């Protein structure tokens, strides 16, 4: 029996968009623990594998480094697929709300929803729709 503390978060793949250099983004609220199921394969944890599969891109194409031009991490190559939104969030993702998965380092991904992230290069992003719990 599943209780409210054991429910899974889930999002659905919508498509691929190319986000331009210098585009301001913000970490989404409430997306930790998300999973994506695409073509029968479940992606969770760091989501970087989901980003590669969904966009057809590789971390090699971005130099294996965080896409945030303001990254100050001592490990910019410790990449995850970050859940980001285009405007500063005031609440957790809501059902049917769209967001993107982009490659950021673990430090920039955990910097909190208020921190402005600017892309250092154009990057393909997996556009997703939040399903939630």
């Amino acid at each position: 029996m599943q209780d409210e503390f054991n429910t899974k978060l889930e999002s659905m793949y919508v498509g691929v968009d190319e986000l331009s250099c210098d585009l301001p983004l913000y970490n989404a609220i409430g997306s930790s623990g998300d999973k994506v199921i695409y073509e029968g394969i479940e992606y969770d944890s760091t989501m970087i594998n989901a980003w590669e599969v969904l966009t057809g891109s590789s971390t090699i194409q971005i130099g294996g480094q965080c896409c945030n031009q303001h990254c100050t991490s001592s490990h910019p190559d410790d990449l995850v697929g970050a859940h980001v939104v285009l405007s500063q969030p005031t609440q957790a993702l809501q059902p049917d709300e769209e967001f993107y998965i982009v490659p950021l380092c673990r430090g920039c991904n955990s910097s909190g929803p208020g921190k402005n992230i600017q892309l250092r290069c154009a990057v393909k992003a997996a556009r997703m729709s939040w399903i939630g719990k």
Side-chain angles (χ1 to χ4, degrees):
M1 186 161 134
Q2 242 180 357
D3 62 21
E4 66 181 281
F5 300 107
N6 197 26
T7 57
K8 291 192 176 189
L9 303 176
E10 192 172 331
S11 54
M12 181 176 64
Y13 174 67
V14 176
V16 175
D17 292 344
E18 183 153 330
L19 302 182
S20 62
C21 183
D22 296 325
L23 181 70
L25 300 169
Y26 302 88
N27 284 323
I29 298 172
S31 62
S32 294
D34 180 27
K35 71 173 182 174
V36 174
I37 299 173
Y38 180 71
E39 294 187 345
I41 299 171
E42 183 176 311
Y43 298 92
D44 55 12
S45 187
T46 68
M47 299 296 264
I48 195 67
N49 293 335
W51 173 79
E52 288 182 318
V53 169
L54 297 173
T55 64
S57 296
S58 164
T59 57
I60 294 168
Q61 294 170 305
I62 57 163
Q65 301 289 310
C66 181
C67 284
N68 182 7
Q69 67 176 300
H70 302 297
C71 180
T72 58
S73 173
S74 57
H75 300 286
D77 57 346
D78 184 14
L79 297 176
V80 299
H83 295 65
V84 296
V85 292
L86 297 175
S87 58
Q88 191 158 9
T90 58
Q91 62 183 4
L93 288 168
Q94 299 298 301
D96 301 321
E97 184 175 354
E98 290 193 347
F99 65 94
Y100 294 97
I101 295 177
V102 298
L104 295 179
C105 70
R106 198 170 301 276
C108 288
N109 186 47
S110 61
S111 63
K115 184 175 179 185
N116 181 279
I117 296 162
Q118 280 190 293
L119 295 177
R120 64 174 173 79
C121 58
V123 65
K124 287 184 179 177
R127 185 163 38 105
M128 311 294 291
S129 180
W130 187 250
I131 295 171
K133 294 181 181 184

